[in-house]
Amino acid sequence: MKNPWFDLPSSKPYLIDSDAVSIHAFNERCSQKYKIALDLLPEPYFGNVDAPVVVLNLNPGLSAADYLAHENNEFICQAKSSLVHDLKPYPFLHLQPSPDTPGGKWWHTRTKQLVKDVGFMAVSSGLACVQFFPYHSKEFSKACPILPSQKYGFHLVREAMRRNAEIVVMRSRAEWFSHVPELVSYEKLHIAVNPRSPYISPGNLKKSYQIIVNRLKHHGFD
C-alpha cells in the first residue's frame, strides 16, 4: 500500500490533500480543545516498520512545549524521516538518547522499566507505535472524521499481524476493534489494564509484559 505521508507538504500547514476537506469541516464546527493542529507535523506512527512489538494508541497530544519542539530543525528532520520509515539509528521518533521533547519525555517515562529490562537500543529498534488518528489535538473527539490517511495506519497493523508481531492495545480498544476487526481474534493481542495511564510495565500488562520482554530480547537488537 502506498504511504500517503510521502505527499505531506514540506511546510505548514501540514495536511495531506486527501484529508483536507474533512479536517477543515471538523475544525470549523468543533470547540477549541478538539481542534486539529495543522502547524505541527503529524505523528501517525513511529518505530521500525518491521518491529516485533507494536503498541496502539489514540493520537498525538498538544501543548505549548510541542510547538517549541516542532520549531526545532533537528526534530523536524527526525519527524519527517519517521514519516517515510527512514529514521536511523533510533527508529522510534520519541525514543532518542536525549529525551528533550514532550513526546520524548512521555515515552521515556512509559518505557522506563522496559528499557531497564532489555536495553535502550532493543526498545527503540524493536518497538513501534501506531496512532489511531494521526494529527495533533489537545483532546481527541469521537466526532473526528475517519480520514483517508488512516487507512495506512490500519494497513501497518495488519502487516504486523501478518508477521506475527506482539500487538498491545494501550488506548481506544473500541476504535481499533471497529476499524481493524481482525484484532479481536488475533492470538498475539495484549490489552493494557489502564488505558488512562499507558505504561509498558508489569503492572499495566500483567503476564503479557514478560512476553514483550522475551520477544525484544530474542529479536537480535544490540
Side-chain angles (χ1 to χ4, degrees):
M1 182 177 184
K2 180 185 176 183
N3 182 346
W5 299 103
F6 275 94
D7 298 328
L8 187 72
S10 59
S11 59
K12 305 172 188 176
Y14 296 118
L15 177 62
I16 294 176
D17 285 345
S18 61
D19 293 343
V21 172
S22 294
I23 287 184
H24 287 314
F26 175 78
N27 276 351
E28 286 177 3
R29 68 177 185 270
C30 73
S31 61
Q32 187 62 39
K33 66 180 179 179
Y34 297 129
K35 281 194 183 295
I36 297 165
L38 302 179
D39 46 359
L40 299 182
L41 283 157
E43 297 174 13
Y45 45 77
F46 19 88
N48 190 334
V49 72
D50 295 317
V53 179
V54 178
V55 299
L56 307 183
N57 272 355
L58 181 53
N59 82 307
L62 180 61
S63 69
D66 284 303
Y67 283 102
L68 291 175
H70 283 248
E71 293 295 332
N72 179 279
N73 286 333
E74 181 180 8
F75 179 80
I76 290 171
C77 290
Q78 290 175 339
K80 289 182 176 180
S81 294
S82 177
L83 285 169
V84 296
H85 304 300
D86 193 36
L87 181 57
K88 300 173 182 177
Y90 305 100
F92 199 105
L93 176 62
H94 295 302
L95 287 175
Q96 304 301 308
S98 299
D100 54 359
T101 64
K105 294 173 183 176
W106 195 92
W107 277 100
H108 274 258
T109 299
R110 281 153 183 80
T111 59
K112 182 178 180 179
Q113 184 63 50
L114 191 61
V115 168
K116 181 178 179 181
D117 290 336
V118 303
F120 180 75
M121 191 63 187
V123 177
S124 183
S125 298
L127 184 71
C129 173
V130 181
Q131 306 271 27
F132 179 76
F133 192 81
Y135 296 92
H136 292 259
S137 61
K138 188 174 181 180
E139 293 185 29
F140 179 76
S141 169
K142 290 191 176 182
C144 274
I146 296 299
L147 306 172
S149 65
Q150 286 177 266
K151 294 178 182 178
Y152 185 68
F154 303 153
H155 165 75
L156 291 179
V157 175
R158 291 186 172 102
E159 287 298 298
M161 294 169 69
R162 289 190 183 96
R163 65 175 183 272
N164 292 315
E166 308 295 337
I167 297 181
V168 185
V169 180
M170 304 299 292
R171 297 184 65 193
S172 305
R173 175 169 55 177
E175 285 78 8
W176 280 112
F177 283 1
S178 175
H179 293 277
V180 189
E182 307 97 305
L183 279 170
V184 176
S185 58
Y186 182 57
E187 63 178 9
K188 294 183 180 295
L189 181 73
H190 312 276
I191 307 292
V193 173
N194 187 355
R196 294 186 178 276
S197 184
Y199 285 77
I200 304 176
S201 64
N204 201 21
L205 296 182
K206 303 301 180 184
K207 293 180 180 179
S208 293
Y209 180 76
Q210 192 58 48
I211 296 173
I212 301 306
V213 167
N214 292 342
R215 190 70 184 268
L216 290 174
K217 279 185 175 179
H218 293 96
H219 199 70
F221 295 109
D222 297 321

